[in-house]
Amino acid sequence: MAKKSHSNSQFSSDISNPISRIVEPSSEFYSIFSKQEVLELIQVLELRREFPLKYSYKGRGAKIWNNFYQKYIIPKWYRTSNVEIDLLKKNFVYINGNYQNCTKVNIVDVGSGNSYPVKKFISQLYKLKKINKYIALDISNELLILSKANFIKWFPLIAFDSYTVDIEASSIPVEILLNSTSAENNEIANIFLHLGVTIGNHHDRTKVLKNFRNSMEKNDFLVFTNETGSNSKWDGRVRGGCKYHVEELYAWIKNKVGIRSEDCELVRKYDFKTDSITANIKFNQNYTVSFSKLGINKNIEILKDEEITIWRHHKYEMPELIQELEKAGLQIVHSSYDKYSTHIMIICKVADS
């Protein structure tokens, strides 16, 4: 809910004027995000009119995502397959350490979420005595708590670590990876996972790939999945995350920022500038969002008919994907498609000099 102000404040979410409706984010909003995150959010809203998707996994957003995953992605009797699980199984021979001539591997799960996609994969590694440690990394502490609860229930005998990391902003801190290996044992490699087609949600994919590259040693692998195809040929039908997750995010953001439902609408479309499918909040009224806590004093003006992006996804075609990997200093070891040829798993390493 928007913060309601009375005689002791010049702002009120209940007061509108012909020029602009003035609102303040709720107190809960400031309890979810740090000052640095709020400042970044303000900057991104100003520069590219976007509420970064990564922030929607914090606070209650973690529960929203987990509920979406439980309802629409986890295999059920009527939905027997899962893209991530199937591709991990299909590519197991490349990511179990044999290809790198390693005795064991650390699984570094970046954007771990609830860790469900790796459950069968970890089980296979454990049976072969190939896993040294599982490290869950996510921007959302709430999701890391969920990941830990799930993982130690499934695998109480496997070492587990977790850290909050924003792979969009920086490489993985070296101390996290140093703590995952034994100094006297150089036969342990890191397998970095970035599943759930998350690479396609990033605004600057090349920067993310470079952050991975800078976190990797010569013997490490990066494994990620994404949808394939042309974004511009989108048929306009909304499904999966573009439908169900987006609808919940739309309600969550409106509630936290204080935007009235009658003042906006949800618009999904192909964005030519970023070559991505996006979901946007379109404003039907001028708005001023006032950030006035945590020592911040900043107003964001949003005009009628402007749109704020709250979700994005970019599909890849292979020539473009190879180009982005080369820019990041990575090269493909192996790749394979799912049974419908709609998703791809890429396994890559640090490029040869």
Side-chain angles (χ1 to χ4, degrees), residues 87 90-95 99 221-224 318 321 325 331-337 344-349:
L87 285 172
K90 185 176 182 179
N91 292 278
F92 185 73
V93 67
Y94 292 95
I95 48 180
Y99 197 89
F221 279 174
L222 167 63
V223 181
F224 65 90
M318 280 305 291
L321 176 54
L325 288 170
Q331 69 182 59
I332 295 178
V333 172
H334 182 73
S335 65
S336 65
Y337 292 91
I344 191 170
M345 174 168 278
I346 300 291
I347 303 168
C348 49
K349 66 175 184 177

Side-chain angles (χ1 to χ4, degrees), residues 219-236:
N219 215 24
D220 296 341
F221 279 174
L222 167 63
V223 181
F224 65 90
T225 57
N226 206 61
E227 287 187 85
T228 61
S230 172
N231 301 282
S232 61
K233 293 180 181 179
W234 182 52
D235 60 8

Side-chain angles (χ1 to χ4, degrees), residues 51-78:
F51 190 107
L53 180 60
K54 63 184 181 182
Y55 288 148
S56 68
Y57 298 105
K58 296 172 72 72
R60 188 176 177 275
K63 184 176 181 180
I64 289 172
W65 182 86
N66 188 55
N67 288 344
F68 161 71
Y69 193 95
Q70 295 275 353
K71 188 173 182 179
Y72 297 104
I73 301 179
I74 285 182
K76 304 286 179 70
W77 65 268
Y78 54 86

Side-chain angles (χ1 to χ4, degrees), residues 79-109:
R79 181 180 59 242
T80 57
S81 65
N82 174 290
V83 169
E84 313 297 322
I85 295 171
D86 293 347
L87 285 172
L88 284 170
K89 180 179 179 181
K90 185 176 182 179
N91 292 278
F92 185 73
V93 67
Y94 292 95
I95 48 180
N96 64 8
N98 287 344
Y99 197 89
Q100 299 140 294
N101 295 316
C102 297
T103 55
K104 290 191 176 185
V105 294
N106 297 308
I107 301 304
V108 187
D109 196 354

Side-chain angles (χ1 to χ4, degrees), residues 36-48:
Q36 181 180 349
E37 289 169 337
V38 175
L39 289 172
E40 181 189 356
L41 174 58
I42 291 170
Q43 182 182 45
V44 174
L45 280 171
E46 281 191 310
L47 294 180
R48 61 174 197 256

